[in-house]
């Protein structure tokens, strides 16, 4: 096995039952082997977590927080090594990979400062009523391939501080940074508190249905999220589902076109568009439509696309062959329904490279507008009436994020309040912080990550309702 990546089960770094290739999306060629767990190893991992939970959940929160803080310190100390591996498996440019790693450090650090104090609901001469929170037990943490490390930290940070034990399962095309983190964590955490298993999309169903898993924290597509919710039903597992989105950027008629177009472009094309809260459709007043489309096309033409480990590269490849094929098919269909004004053809080289592609004059019912493209292709749509536009935006089954752009912040906030999404940014994009809860509306998810609510998701609240007079 090239870099000796191992599963982590019960404090032991072990081989899988078999192994599979991990492809570098910038070359299309395998660069490492990943150990693949079988059902027996999945069951061992859950049993190890269940057993470790007994002691871990009774240590003080300060002790657990100290361990999570040590994870942050250890990750930061090896940030460049993690970032390089992240670029190799995920494709994003090295500087963006560093941002993801350091984002993971700050998430762990933030949760290491979190505490779960009892909440006094009522206290008077007659009664004391307290809300007290305890950890749940074994948490399954399932992650996708677009931010494999940061999204894992969103789950591990709060789950461990709250006193849970975790079985993590990364996406099969980006398992390596999770395995590197597992080896690092094994030096810090007691055996069984964190277990990591890998699969080829074949163990998720068994993990989410496992009777000893009390909670599933899942980030991924809405289609898989529905399966997770179904699998959780039998034992009424707690679920946090962070799912897909089709975020709209709404441009109001008072903007500085050049400045706003540059920011909207970044909001759509960072990580080659593979962000749950990327801008996936842009709505521009008819009066500014041509100017805005031209500005976006000019920026698109200037982007340096290539291997993220090379200096000066601004956009990497799509992460995997399946996503590349999907995005190419959407571009192909869009070219027949609208007008492609930048990009449009995959690069003729090895790897999964698609240049930033801008499409105008495309109907609302095109797949590019209705579905989550999850790639560097952006539809620009015109509007005349703001009320009608809000109905068009809210007609989506998704409700994850979105943004409003205006010279008048109060006006923009008024529009933002009418968008049925978990988060709406005004005059900025992708502004996430460990202390701001993040959640989806409609089919974009259930439950929150980050913030105090993101910690509460890993706890069971108990009401203690005591009469003050003695029995
Ligand atoms: P995916 O749903 O295909 O896979 C996500 C994870 O689920 C992987 O680890 C996969 O192996 C696992 N899985 C597969 N089948 C399963 C099953 N039956 N039960 C349980 N787990 C199973 O998603 P993806 O293609 O890896 O990621 C892209 C999607 O993730 C996009 O839709 C994107 O919007 C979404 N996403 C959402 C957020 C958010 O916070 N809302 C963040 C990042 C990505």
């Amino acid at each position: 096995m090239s870099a000796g990546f191992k599963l982590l089960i019960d404090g032991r770094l072990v081989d899988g039952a078999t192994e599979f290739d991990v492809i570098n999306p910038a070359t299309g060629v395998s660069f490492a082997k990943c150990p693949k767990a079988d059902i027996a190893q999945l069951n061992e991992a859950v049993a190890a977590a269940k057993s470790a939970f007994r002691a871990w959940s009774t240590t003080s929160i300060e002790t657990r927080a100290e361990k999570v803080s040590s994870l942050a310190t250890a990750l930061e100390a090896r940030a460049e090594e993690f970032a390089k591996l992240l670029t190799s498996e995920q494709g994003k440019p090295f500087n963006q990979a560093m941002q993801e790693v350091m984002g993971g450090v700050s998430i762990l650090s933030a949760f290491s400062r979190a505490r779960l104090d009892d909440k006094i609901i009522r206290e008077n001469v007659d009664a004391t009523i307290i809300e007290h929170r305890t950890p749940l037990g074994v948490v399954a943490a399932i992650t996708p391939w677009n931010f494999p490390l940061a999204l894992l930290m969103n789950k591990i940070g709060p789950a461990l501080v709250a006193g849970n034990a975790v079985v993590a399962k990364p996406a099969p095309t980006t398992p390596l940074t999770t395995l590197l983190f597992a080896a690092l964590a094994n030096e810090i955490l007691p055996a069984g508190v964190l277990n990591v298993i890998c699969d080829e999309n074949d163990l998720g169903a068994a993990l989410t249905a496992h009777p000893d898993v009390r909670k599933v924290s899942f980030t991924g597509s809405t289609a898989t999220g529905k399966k997770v919710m179904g699998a959780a039903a039998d034992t009424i597992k707690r679920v946090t589902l962070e799912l897909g989105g089709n975020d709209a950027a709404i441009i109001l008629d008072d903007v500085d076109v050049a400045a706003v177009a540059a920011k909207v472009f970044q909001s759509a094309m960072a990580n080659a568009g593979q962000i749950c809260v990327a801008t996936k459709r842009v709505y521009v007043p008819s009066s500014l439509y041509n100017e805005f489309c031209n500005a976006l096309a000019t920026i698109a033409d200037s982007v340096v696309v290539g291997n993220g480990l090379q200096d000066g590269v601004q956009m990497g490849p799509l992460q995997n062959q399946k996503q590349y094929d999907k995005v190419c098919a959407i571009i192909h269909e869009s070219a027949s329904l609208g007008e492609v004004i930048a990009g449009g053809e995959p690069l003729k080289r090895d790897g999964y490279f698609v240049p930033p592609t801008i499409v105008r004059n495309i109907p609302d019912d095109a797949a590019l507008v209705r579905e989550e493209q999850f790639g560097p292709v952006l539809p620009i749509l015109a509007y005349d009436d703001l009320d009608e536009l809000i109905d068009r935006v809210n007609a989506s089954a998704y409700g994850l994020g979105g943004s409003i752009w205006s010279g008048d912040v109060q006006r923009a906030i008024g529009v933002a309040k009418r968008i049925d999404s978990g988060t709406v940014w005004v005059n900025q994009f992708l502004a996430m912080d460990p202390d701001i809860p993040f959640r989806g509306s409609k089919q974009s998810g259930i439950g929150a990550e980050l913030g105090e609510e993101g910690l509460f998701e890993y706890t069971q609240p108990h009401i203690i309702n005591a009469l003050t007079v003695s029995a």
Side-chain angles (χ1 to χ4, degrees):
M1 215 171 288
S2 43
F5 294 103
K6 305 277 187 190
L7 307 175
L8 174 60
I9 300 175
D10 203 11
R12 284 170 294 116
L13 294 168
V14 297
D15 288 332
T18 52
E19 58 183 21
F20 60 89
D21 286 316
V22 181
I23 307 292
N24 180 337
T27 62
V29 174
S30 167
F31 75 105
K33 298 278 185 193
C34 178
K36 176 168 152 66
D38 61 11
I39 283 279
Q41 288 180 311
L42 182 156
N43 288 332
E44 271 177 50
V46 175
K50 187 178 175 186
S51 163
F53 173 72
R54 284 189 206 104
W56 180 247
S57 59
T58 56
T59 57
S60 70
I61 192 166
E62 287 75 18
T63 304
R64 298 192 300 256
E66 216 172 280
K67 295 284 187 198
V68 171
S69 175
S70 300
L71 291 175
T73 306
L75 179 58
E76 185 169 13
R78 292 170 62 185
E80 284 198 19
E81 177 191 356
F82 271 86
K84 202 165 165 218
L85 183 63
L86 183 56
T87 296
S88 301
E89 70 172 350
Q90 204 283 330
K92 65 188 62 179
F94 178 76
N95 62 338
Q96 293 176 30
M98 276 298 281
Q99 283 168 15
E100 177 171 348
V101 175
M102 294 313 292
V105 170
S106 74
I107 293 162
L108 291 176
S109 301
F111 280 110
S112 76
R113 294 188 294 273
R115 295 295 177 267
L116 283 168
D117 297 326
D118 286 349
K119 180 177 161 193
I120 310 290
I121 293 177
R122 192 185 306 159
E123 191 165 39
N124 57 31
V125 286
D126 300 321
T128 298
I129 306 176
I130 299 168
E131 187 177 71
H132 171 71
R133 288 179 181 271
T134 53
L136 294 165
V138 179
V139 170
I142 301 179
T143 45
W145 44 257
N146 60 340
F147 286 86
L149 196 65
L151 295 173
L152 180 68
M153 301 309 134
N154 280 357
K155 302 178 188 313
I156 285 181
L160 296 184
V161 167
N164 302 278
V166 174
V167 177
K169 194 206 78 59
T173 55
T174 53
L176 301 181
T177 41
T178 301
L179 293 177
L180 191 60
F181 183 82
L184 170 155
N186 197 36
E187 304 287 311
I188 293 168
L189 296 171
V193 166
L194 173 67
N195 305 272
V196 175
I197 55 169
C198 297
D199 72 342
E200 285 187 288
N201 278 332
D202 53 338
L203 289 181
L207 182 58
T208 52
H210 199 296
D212 288 335
V213 170
R214 283 284 299 273
K215 178 188 173 79
V216 181
S217 179
F218 172 84
T219 303
S221 63
T222 294
T224 311
K226 290 176 186 181
K227 291 185 195 164
V228 171
M229 208 165 163
D234 195 40
T235 51
I236 314 288
K237 292 182 193 359
R238 276 46 184 161
V239 288
T240 303
L241 302 177
E242 297 290 350
L243 308 178
N246 190 8
D247 294 5
I250 299 178
I251 315 301
L252 300 188
D253 55 11
D254 59 358
V255 297
D256 172 341
V257 169
V260 170
K263 290 180 184 165
V264 168
F265 182 85
Q266 282 307 322
S267 77
M269 299 294 178
N271 204 28
Q274 302 162 112
I275 305 184
C276 54
V277 281
T279 294
K280 294 182 178 130
R281 44 192 174 134
V282 182
Y283 294 91
V284 183
S286 294
S287 58
L288 301 179
Y289 190 66
N290 286 336
E291 193 187 348
F292 207 92
C293 289
N294 293 342
L296 285 177
T298 304
I299 299 166
D301 287 339
S302 74
V303 171
V304 180
V305 181
N307 185 326
L309 288 177
Q310 280 164 7
D311 284 346
V313 164
Q314 296 167 307
M315 184 187 287
L318 273 297
Q319 198 280 317
N320 57 71
Q321 176 88 51
K322 192 172 156 215
Q323 191 60 22
Y324 174 79
D325 291 344
K326 181 184 157 191
V327 170
C328 289
I330 285 188
I331 291 178
H332 187 70
E333 185 198 85
S334 304
S336 67
L337 297 173
E339 192 188 341
V340 176
I341 55 170
E345 288 294 331
L347 301 192
K348 290 188 176 46
R349 54 177 284 180
D350 291 338
Y352 312 130
F353 291 99
V354 173
T357 296
I358 308 289
V359 184
R360 59 174 283 168
N361 296 338
I362 185 156
D364 275 7
D365 61 357
L368 178 59
V369 182
R370 271 187 304 111
E371 293 172 14
E372 183 184 41
Q373 65 273 46
F374 221 59
V377 46
L378 184 65
I380 321 294
L381 303 114
Y383 73 90
D384 293 306
D385 180 277
L386 192 56
D387 292 328
E388 273 174 29
L389 172 64
I390 289 168
D391 288 344
R392 275 164 83 192
V393 169
N394 285 338
S396 174
Y398 294 110
L400 195 58
S403 58
I404 317 293
W405 302 83
S406 172
D408 179 343
V409 173
Q410 289 311 318
R411 182 175 169 225
I413 289 175
V415 177
K417 287 179 178 172
R418 298 172 64 192
I419 303 302
D420 187 357
S421 283
T423 301
V424 183
W425 288 287
V426 170
N427 292 339
Q428 60 175 348
F429 60 97
L430 301 182
M432 315 262 296
D433 210 281
D435 60 5
I436 303 174
F438 175 76
R439 60 172 79 77
S441 169
K442 298 187 277 186
Q443 292 188 30
S444 287
I446 289 180
E449 284 201 322
L450 305 177
E452 189 179 54
E453 289 169 52
L455 180 64
F456 287 173
E457 292 271 322
Y458 295 91
T459 66
Q460 174 64 47
H462 306 263
I463 298 297
I464 317 286
N465 190 337
L467 259 194
T468 308
V469 286
S470 37

